[in-house]
Amino acid sequence: MATLIDGKAFSARLRDEIARKVGVLKQEHSLTPGLAVVLVGEDPASQVYVRSKGKQTLEAGMNSYEHKLDADTSQTDLLSLIDQLNNDPDVHGILVQLPLPGHIDEESVINSISVDKDVDGFHLSNVGRLSIGAEGIVPCTPLGSLMMLKNHLGDLSGMKAIVLGRSNIVGKPMASLLLKESCTVTIAHSRTRDLAGECRLADIVVAAVGRPEMVKGDWIKPGATVIDVGINRIEKEDGTTRLVGDVEFDSASEVAGAITPVPGGVGPMTIACLLHNTLQQACRLNGLDVPE
Ligand code: NDP
């Protein structure tokens, strides 16, 4: 049976560590990192994410600034709020919750965020930095996935990794991170021929396709490490729902060496990495090193 990679416990340790460092910054430099989260409209899932981000930001001892705008807010008004946050010295991280309503151009909004406050790591400059292997802000979900992999496996150099999915938010940055760790990386997607066969070659499988339980146990090389990024809500026979990943957990955990569960794997690491990025940028914007 595979070892369970416990993202809940890992993220709790990471958040404790961040809170301790925030305490040092406050005491020694009178600096409180601040994260601004902007929500446009009333998408229920987005509301849950924003609430949970705000709560965990405060728990880490940081300032949380929530900006909730009506669904019909114009792009001009949203851009002017971002401009204001870009120029606010108390704000070190700005996150615009996606998706945005259809009349707003997401790319223009993301690229209007100051590169040094783009704690989601979606700004083109941060995307470019990651793709050339330079220092920059790394998107939270791939960063959390990489932290779990390195914590479990140590040096990833020379390993064969497959990333299932090529989105800009998860798949592509994950592949760039693994390449930076000197893995041999395959990026698979909906047009990949023989997905199962490609998967079976990999020492590391990162599944981010948004297809409930698509990856079966017999796709996994014995002993491989499996990171399941997927979060899918499916209906049970009794009409209630439950969360499952992109990997069929029961069959995969029979074969894998280690696996992340859903829930309790990558999910909790994502917000912890958002706090990590905010702390880093608060230090950087103030010319300080991150406390030890
Ligand atoms: P997207 O829908 O943007 O991308 C999905 C990718 O999977 C695409 O590249 C697509 O290929 C590929 N794909 C879809 N179906 C198949 C298939 N049958 N075979 C092979 N490849 C396929 O999703 P995201 O990257 O945004 O998210 C992926 C999953 O991760 C979702 O379940 C999402 O909920 C979850 N997620 C979890 C987070 C967390 O915090 N844990 C954060 C973000 C996402 P193609 O490009 O060819 O269409």
Side-chain angles (χ1 to χ4, degrees), residues 237-250:
E237 276 170 13
D238 64 3
T240 59
T241 62
R242 70 183 177 108
L243 287 185
V244 298
D246 290 344
V247 178
E248 191 178 71
F249 183 85
D250 288 348

Side-chain angles (χ1 to χ4, degrees), residues 38 67 69 76-86 94:
V38 181
H67 295 268
L69 309 180
T76 312
D77 286 350
L78 177 57
L79 290 175
S80 103
L81 170 63
I82 291 173
D83 186 49
Q84 189 191 312
L85 298 172
N86 282 341
I94 302 169

Side-chain angles (χ1 to χ4, degrees), residues 209-230:
V209 285
R211 302 267 178 241
E213 301 180 314
M214 185 184 86
V215 179
K216 311 294 179 199
D218 64 359
W219 294 27
I220 306 294
K221 175 172 157 180
T225 303
V226 179
I227 303 290
D228 190 353
V229 180

Side-chain angles (χ1 to χ4, degrees), residues 44 70 88 100 102 123 151-152 155 169 171 176 233 235-236 242 283:
D70 292 338
D88 183 339
L100 288 169
H123 190 290
N151 185 59
H152 182 69
D155 183 12
I169 293 174
S176 298
R233 189 167 285 284
E235 200 167 315
K236 293 196 286 188
R242 70 183 177 108
C283 293

Side-chain angles (χ1 to χ4, degrees), residues 124-134 172-173 175-177 179-180:
L124 278 178
S125 294
N126 283 314
V127 173
R129 286 177 187 173
L130 179 59
S131 77
I132 63 164
K172 284 188 196 128
S176 298
L177 284 174
L179 190 59
K180 203 170 167 189

Side-chain angles (χ1 to χ4, degrees), residues 157-280:
S157 165
M159 291 190 179
K160 212 167 164 9
I162 189 164
V163 180
L164 307 176
R166 57 173 162 179
S167 72
N168 293 332
I169 293 174
V170 189
K172 284 188 196 128
M174 187 73 229
S176 298
L177 284 174
L178 290 165
L179 190 59
K180 203 170 167 189
E181 295 297 322
S182 298
C183 291
T184 301
V185 185
T186 300
I187 306 173
H189 45 78
S190 65
R191 305 290 176 88
T192 298
R193 291 192 196 125
D194 191 15
L195 206 56
E198 294 287 350
C199 230
R200 270 183 220 114
L201 300 172
D203 307 306
I204 293 169
V205 177
V206 180
V209 285
R211 302 267 178 241
E213 301 180 314
M214 185 184 86
V215 179
K216 311 294 179 199
D218 64 359
W219 294 27
I220 306 294
K221 175 172 157 180
T225 303
V226 179
I227 303 290
D228 190 353
V229 180
I231 301 179
N232 310 289
R233 189 167 285 284
I234 60 166
E235 200 167 315
K236 293 196 286 188
E237 276 170 13
D238 64 3
T240 59
T241 62
R242 70 183 177 108
L243 287 185
V244 298
D246 290 344
V247 178
E248 191 178 71
F249 183 85
D250 288 348
S251 64
S253 56
E254 294 283 319
V255 190
I259 187 167
T260 58
V262 177
V266 177
M269 286 301 287
T270 297
I271 299 185
C273 286
L274 177 66
L275 303 178
H276 166 91
N277 284 349
T278 305
L279 170 64
Q280 295 264 345

Side-chain angles (χ1 to χ4, degrees), residues 6-22 56 59-60 62 140 143-148 266 268-277 279-280:
D6 185 347
K8 206 169 160 192
F10 192 149
S11 65
R13 287 198 300 277
L14 186 58
R15 283 185 279 118
D16 283 350
E17 188 66 359
I18 291 167
R20 187 185 61 73
K21 291 177 182 178
V22 169
Q56 294 193 30
E59 282 169 4
M62 300 185 185
C140 303
L143 178 60
S145 302
L146 183 74
M147 283 182 183
M148 288 194 287
V266 177
M269 286 301 287
T270 297
I271 299 185
C273 286
L274 177 66
L275 303 178
H276 166 91
N277 284 349
L279 170 64
Q280 295 264 345

